[in-house]
Amino acid sequence: MNMKIHRIIAFILVLSVLPLSVAASPENGGVKDEIPYTAHDAKISPYTCNKMEIFTESDAKNNVPEGFTGYVMKLTGANSASGITVDFSDMEIPASIIKALKMRVYYPSVTKEVRITIDAGLSWVMRCEAKKPGEWNDITLDGSELSKLMNEDGNLGKFCFGFRYYDGNFNTLSYIDCVSVEYKNKDENPPVITYDGKTDITMTEGKPLVLNATAYDNDEQRDIRVNQVWSDGALDENGLPVKGSHVCYLTAKDGFGNRAEIKLNVTVTDKDTEAPVIKFNCTEINTVAGCIPALKITATDNEDDVTVKQIWSSGALDKSGKLTEGTHKLKLTAEDLTGNKTEMIITVNVKKDLE
């Protein structure tokens, strides 16, 4: 696999089913590859259904109007509507590679519109008039409306897709053949992983492996998340490396599935039991009210880089972060990646005037 590794300083990376669904017989591939539905989410979708049935291509021949391919979802309407919650989030499909969202549906003559919303119907991303009842319809969503379906990560997310019937029409049957993504021209270039560190690593047991690693995809013009993929048996029930010799791959995958990786050989030794040492010997401080504390206190550890947290007692600081008159407590805490912790309590006497 083609891959470039640039050694620079980088920042630290520190289905459920609907309650009224009927399962189909298994075939190659899953229904969620064609219709990525998830459990009903009332915050997203105002529509549900009285009954959902999912048919494989062979099962559907006697249960679904002709013209479908693959899996088909049959919805029995409720309260003059029917719909599902669609969720593409786990697929991590960025907006930059999506050309359009494609939906293939079949609806009866009592259908008013085919709709999409992300806020339970407070607003509508799509309201497509049902002009062709009694046949399969191909509906496309693109442009600025498509951008409304992106989540905070910039990927295609969760939304409601459903049918609105004319009032008074209950138990109405509609069908969904697919809800899928049409991509822009595919690239075959994997992301570039930037890793600042060794490929042979020794660490202690019972803590996460923290690395300087980032990834960027030039074709998609975006940062890609770097994942750690460990060899079998390397992690305990909490996802932490156990004692022994293991392999960890740093991986990054773009929206088209192009994957880059770096192989790390990791040796895990006995668990660290030594707590950090706080580099501060004073146990009492005298100062004056109105000043802003600017104590630069450090700590060292035999294994990890650690920092010192400063926690003031209640009322020690005003809204501006200045010390108030009185006697206060300052707690210093330093904790390593294993959880070994050191704490110190400093008494801070704050007087009105400097003596």
Side-chain angles (χ1 to χ4, degrees):
M1 178 176 291
N2 293 327
M3 175 179 61
K4 297 178 181 178
I5 304 176
H6 299 295
R7 297 187 178 276
I8 63 175
I9 296 177
F11 58 81
I12 294 177
L13 285 177
V14 182
L15 268 152
S16 56
V17 296
L18 291 171
L20 298 175
S21 64
V22 179
S25 58
E27 287 187 354
N28 292 332
V31 60
K32 292 190 179 182
D33 294 326
E34 299 180 20
I35 312 169
Y37 72 99
T38 187
H40 176 69
D41 187 340
K43 295 180 180 179
I44 298 290
S45 176
Y47 299 154
T48 183
C49 55
N50 283 332
K51 186 178 182 182
M52 174 198 289
E53 298 172 86
I54 298 172
F55 299 100
T56 63
E57 190 166 9
S58 57
D59 294 333
K61 293 180 180 179
N62 298 322
N63 296 282
V64 176
E66 293 183 357
F68 60 88
T69 58
Y71 286 94
V72 184
M73 179 181 288
K74 178 181 178 181
L75 300 179
T76 302
N79 299 325
S80 300
S82 63
I84 60 174
T85 301
V86 177
D87 191 4
F88 282 91
S89 302
D90 290 343
M91 301 183 190
E92 297 185 347
I93 307 173
S96 59
I97 69 171
I98 301 175
K99 183 177 181 180
L101 185 68
K102 298 286 190 178
M103 292 119 338
R104 184 168 173 79
V105 297
Y106 186 106
Y107 48 76
S109 59
V110 297
T111 307
K112 188 175 183 179
E113 292 177 336
V114 182
R115 297 180 173 183
I116 291 178
T117 180
I118 59 173
D119 54 14
L122 296 177
S123 63
W124 298 98
V125 176
M126 184 188 79
R127 295 181 63 175
C128 179
E129 186 178 354
K131 294 181 179 181
K132 298 179 180 180
E135 61 182 272
W136 286 101
N137 289 258
D138 293 307
I139 301 173
T140 299
L141 182 68
D142 55 18
S144 60
E145 299 305 306
L146 179 60
S147 65
K148 297 178 182 178
L149 302 183
M150 303 302 154
N151 58 28
E152 59 184 11
D153 295 323
N155 299 326
L156 186 60
K158 184 185 290 190
F159 57 90
C160 164
F161 178 67
F163 306 90
R164 177 66 166 90
Y165 311 117
Y166 290 102
D167 291 342
N169 288 280
F170 301 95
N171 297 316
T172 304
L173 300 181
S174 295
Y175 304 85
I176 302 175
D177 191 13
C178 69
V179 180
S180 60
V181 173
E182 180 181 359
Y183 296 96
K184 296 178 181 178
N185 294 331
K186 181 178 179 179
D187 75 80
E188 297 182 355
N189 303 313
V192 175
I193 299 177
T194 300
Y195 170 56
D196 179 27
K198 299 178 180 179
T199 55
D200 291 314
I201 298 172
T202 299
M203 62 177 291
T204 53
E205 187 179 25
K207 68 180 182 182
L209 176 60
V210 178
L211 301 171
N212 295 329
T214 61
Y216 185 78
D217 191 89
N218 190 58
D219 293 288
E220 298 178 13
Q221 296 291 299
R222 68 185 182 103
D223 294 321
I224 305 292
R225 185 176 68 244
V226 176
N227 296 308
Q228 295 182 7
V229 180
W230 290 81
S231 54
D232 291 342
L235 305 179
D236 64 15
E237 64 277 8
N238 298 313
L240 300 175
V242 299
K243 187 176 179 180
S245 298
H246 313 292
V247 174
C248 176
Y249 292 93
L250 300 182
T251 67
K253 185 171 66 174
D254 66 17
F256 287 115
N258 300 309
R259 185 174 182 267
E261 69 178 33
I262 298 175
K263 180 182 178 181
L264 306 177
N265 299 307
V266 184
T267 301
V268 182
T269 60
D270 291 333
K271 188 174 183 178
D272 173 28
T273 58
E274 187 174 334
V277 177
I278 297 176
K279 298 296 186 177
F280 194 73
N281 296 322
C282 185
T283 59
E284 186 171 357
I285 298 174
N286 296 311
T287 186
V288 65
C291 68
I292 298 176
L295 297 170
K296 295 183 179 180
I297 304 173
T298 61
T300 58
D301 186 71
N302 62 317
E303 288 289 338
D304 307 316
D305 293 329
V306 292
T307 58
V308 178
K309 293 183 179 180
Q310 301 181 24
I311 304 173
W312 288 91
S313 57
S314 178
L317 305 176
D318 63 17
K319 294 180 179 179
S320 301
K322 298 177 182 179
L323 284 166
T324 60
E325 189 176 354
T327 299
H328 311 294
K329 299 295 182 182
L330 172 61
K331 183 167 74 172
L332 307 178
T333 302
E335 183 175 0
D336 64 20
L337 293 175
T338 309
N340 301 308
K341 183 188 294 186
T342 298
E343 292 184 349
M344 289 181 60
I345 301 295
I346 313 300
T347 300
V348 182
N349 303 308
V350 183
K351 298 187 177 182
K352 184 176 181 181
D353 298 309
L354 186 63
E355 294 182 358

